[in-house]
Amino acid sequence: MEVKQFFGGIHIPHYKSFTEHKEIKKASLPEEIIIPLLQHTGAPNEPLVKVGDKVKAGQKIGATDKFVSAPVHASLSGTVTAIEPRPFVTGQMIDSIVIAVDKEQDELKLADNDLEKVTKEDIINAVKEAGIVGMGGAAFPTAVKLSPPPDKKVDTLIVNGCECEPYLTCDHRIMLEKAKELLQGVKLLMKMLGVEQAFICIEDNKDDAIEAVRQENDDPGIVLLRMPTKYPQGSEKHLVKAALDREIPSGGLPFDVGCIIQNVGTCVAIYEAVKFNKPLIERVVAVTGQNIKDPQNLLVKIGTPLRHLIEECGGIVAEPAKVVVGGPMTGRAQENLDVPVVKGTTGVVVLPPDMALEDMEYSDCVRCCKCVEHCPMLLYPNQISIYCEAGMIEEAEFWNTMDCIECGICAYVCPSKRPITQLVQRTKPLIIQMRNKR
């Protein structure tokens, strides 16, 4: 099936060779886990435990009755030692439940539900109870995403297996090693949404993953799409255009054009939640980069500190080094290695400092327009960055700052090293505040 190309974007070195051929390996258990009460887009959870409580792996320890949220669970058995603000991947301090991990861990008790008998309500309830969020990095609560407004007719499921960000290989390995579970998750989602077609989109630099999924697929309603390798192929708006030739309107969401998008890791988590009643307490993380001794794809318990994973992979081989959570294009540089892995953590990338885009000295825009040439959203990042930097919020809104998908291409190609993405991220909340006052 032909896929549609998109304007702009960029072909960048993908640096996936560090881990793309390494099987997923279970990480060792840390001595302490840190479970932030807010790991998702939406309202924070309230703690359901107190200091001194013994908790079991899989036990729900934080929840709220707010609609846009997702509960959190203990990923390991142990004793609650603190409930206090701890460093988070965004640089903020987030209220977190700290657990001293028991040396001996009981095996997690799992159900064995009959997938032929589960109903739509069973699926959505399982997803909600498991605390599943988008595992591609956005961390939007999945139960909310699967509940579009009644007037939005959804006819297609799109599964994102592009993993277009450099270095990251967790989705690639999931498709290779868990293709059967992925397809079970896709079928459950199709049943829950009441759709008869799904497209699994995989970039053509992962032909082994395409073949692995193809061999397991026995459903004619599930179609594999081999996508051209081009950044940011995995963004929702570009996936919808490529697969369905539909345009998500400015300010709109995929359900506005009749589709729902889920990441491949999220589909596997949905399968495990419905089949086994398993909460989202672990995920695959690529620990990689030029400055890590033994790059690996690790199955990691949520709440594990970054420091533990780096030590697990042999440590940092050359200082100074920059540790980035997520990929180098959209991730965040970390100053504190006690930050925990959360549900949306796709990778821990250890780079030479000159390869990280954040915190570089920058200068004024030289009007070269390279950012305009490559912007996949057809924006003018040069103008936007000037207005954002100057605090001119109305002008930034006029130049469609809210349509920016924060892919980082503009900063990557900018000869002045301007932190355009960071300026946009800083300005978007101010635009929302301004709109709310109108």
Side-chain angles (χ1 to χ4, degrees):
M1 178 177 170
E2 183 186 1
V3 297
K4 301 293 180 183
Q5 301 277 353
F6 62 87
F7 176 84
I10 193 168
H11 296 92
I12 49 179
H14 49 72
Y15 295 111
K16 293 179 185 287
S17 59
F18 294 107
T19 51
E20 64 184 336
H21 300 304
K22 292 190 175 181
E23 292 185 1
I24 299 167
K25 171 185 160 188
K26 280 189 178 180
S28 63
L29 303 185
E31 295 181 355
E32 178 183 88
I33 53 174
I34 303 143
I35 309 293
L37 288 163
L38 180 61
Q39 303 183 32
H40 50 266
T41 303
N45 292 297
E46 296 295 327
L48 302 177
V49 293
K50 60 183 184 302
V51 174
D53 283 357
K54 296 286 289 183
V55 295
K56 293 287 188 184
Q59 178 181 335
K60 189 190 294 184
I61 58 174
T64 176
D65 57 2
K66 303 295 184 185
F67 179 63
V68 182
S69 189
V72 294
H73 304 74
S75 58
L76 290 165
S77 300
T79 304
V80 177
T81 58
I83 301 175
E84 62 188 16
R86 286 292 185 103
F88 192 66
V89 64
T90 57
Q92 300 166 292
M93 298 292 284
I94 298 291
D95 286 341
S96 304
I97 297 174
V98 184
I99 299 171
V101 174
D102 291 342
K103 291 184 178 177
E104 299 295 328
Q105 294 284 320
D106 295 332
E107 192 169 337
L108 191 65
K109 292 181 179 178
L110 300 175
D112 186 17
N113 298 315
D114 185 346
L115 297 185
E116 295 297 322
K117 295 181 179 177
V118 296
T119 65
K120 294 181 180 180
E121 290 72 26
D122 292 333
I123 297 169
I124 194 72
N125 288 337
V127 169
K128 188 173 183 180
E129 277 301 299
I132 295 174
V133 303
M135 295 175 71
F140 192 82
T142 302
V144 179
K145 196 171 186 179
L146 295 176
S147 307
D151 62 327
K152 303 293 183 182
K153 173 62 178 174
V154 172
D155 58 27
T156 304
L157 170 68
I158 295 178
V159 179
N160 185 358
C162 288
E163 200 170 47
C164 57
E165 179 93 23
Y167 290 93
L168 302 183
T169 54
C170 52
D171 287 349
H172 186 178
R173 294 309 310 181
I174 286 172
M175 291 186 284
L176 278 173
E177 300 179 40
K178 292 180 176 289
K180 189 176 293 184
E181 294 90 337
L182 163 63
L183 288 160
Q184 290 287 351
V186 173
K187 290 175 183 176
L188 287 168
L189 282 168
M190 292 171 71
K191 182 175 184 177
M192 193 254 139
L193 294 168
V195 302
E196 295 183 355
Q197 68 174 356
F199 295 100
I200 301 179
C201 303
I202 308 174
E203 280 191 338
D204 58 11
N205 62 353
K206 305 176 188 68
D207 278 341
D208 52 354
I210 294 173
E211 181 59 21
V213 177
R214 187 193 65 77
Q215 287 188 7
E216 294 291 344
N217 184 24
D218 60 0
D219 188 332
I222 300 176
V223 177
L224 270 67
L225 292 183
R226 189 171 183 268
M227 316 291 286
T229 297
K230 185 181 183 184
Y231 185 81
Q233 185 72 73
S235 88
E236 290 194 337
K237 293 192 176 185
H238 298 97
L239 272 183
V240 172
K241 176 66 178 175
L244 302 175
D245 197 18
R246 299 176 187 173
E247 301 267 1
I248 299 176
S250 175
L253 294 168
F255 60 58
D256 289 315
V257 292
C259 56
I260 294 284
I261 301 177
Q262 293 292 341
N263 161 270
V264 293
T266 312
C267 292
V268 174
I270 289 169
Y271 162 73
E272 293 179 341
V274 178
K275 177 68 176 175
F276 305 121
N277 294 348
K278 180 183 174 183
L280 182 50
I281 58 172
E282 60 187 7
R283 66 156 298 141
V284 181
V285 178
V287 185
T288 182
Q290 284 88 340
N291 277 21
I292 192 85
K293 184 175 182 181
D294 183 19
Q296 297 284 344
N297 296 295
L298 296 176
L299 182 62
V300 180
K301 300 296 182 185
I302 301 298
T304 300
L306 303 184
R307 186 186 310 281
H308 182 86
L309 298 186
I310 291 172
E311 290 172 357
E312 177 100 7
C313 292
I316 295 173
V317 294
E319 296 281 2
K322 181 80 77 173
V323 177
V324 176
V325 169
M329 298 299 285
T330 60
R332 291 177 182 268
Q334 301 296 308
E335 295 182 354
N336 190 333
L337 297 184
D338 293 325
V339 165
V341 166
V342 292
K343 298 173 184 178
T345 303
T346 52
V348 179
V349 186
V350 186
L351 299 170
D354 60 344
M355 289 188 67
L357 295 176
E358 289 190 27
D359 303 328
M360 287 185 178
E361 290 188 9
Y362 67 96
S363 54
D364 291 342
C365 174
V366 295
R367 309 284 183 180
C368 68
C369 289
K370 287 185 177 178
C371 56
V372 179
E373 179 184 344
H374 290 285
C375 179
M377 293 303 295
L378 309 180
L379 302 176
Y380 289 82
N382 48 0
Q383 289 297 121
I384 287 173
S385 77
I386 291 169
Y387 290 128
C388 290
E389 187 175 28
M392 300 171 71
I393 309 304
E394 289 190 4
E395 288 79 1
E397 181 192 34
F398 177 81
W399 285 86
N400 299 314
T401 299
M402 296 302 288
D403 283 344
C404 173
I405 60 172
E406 302 174 21
C407 64
I409 289 177
C410 47
Y412 180 81
V413 300
C414 178
S416 299
K417 305 301 180 188
R418 291 178 60 76
I420 302 173
T421 310
Q422 286 73 30
L423 290 168
V424 167
Q425 290 171 337
R426 190 189 309 163
T427 303
K428 280 184 175 178
L430 302 177
I431 294 175
I432 293 171
Q433 285 180 20
M434 182 179 69
R435 288 178 174 177
N436 291 338
K437 290 178 181 177
R438 286 174 179 162

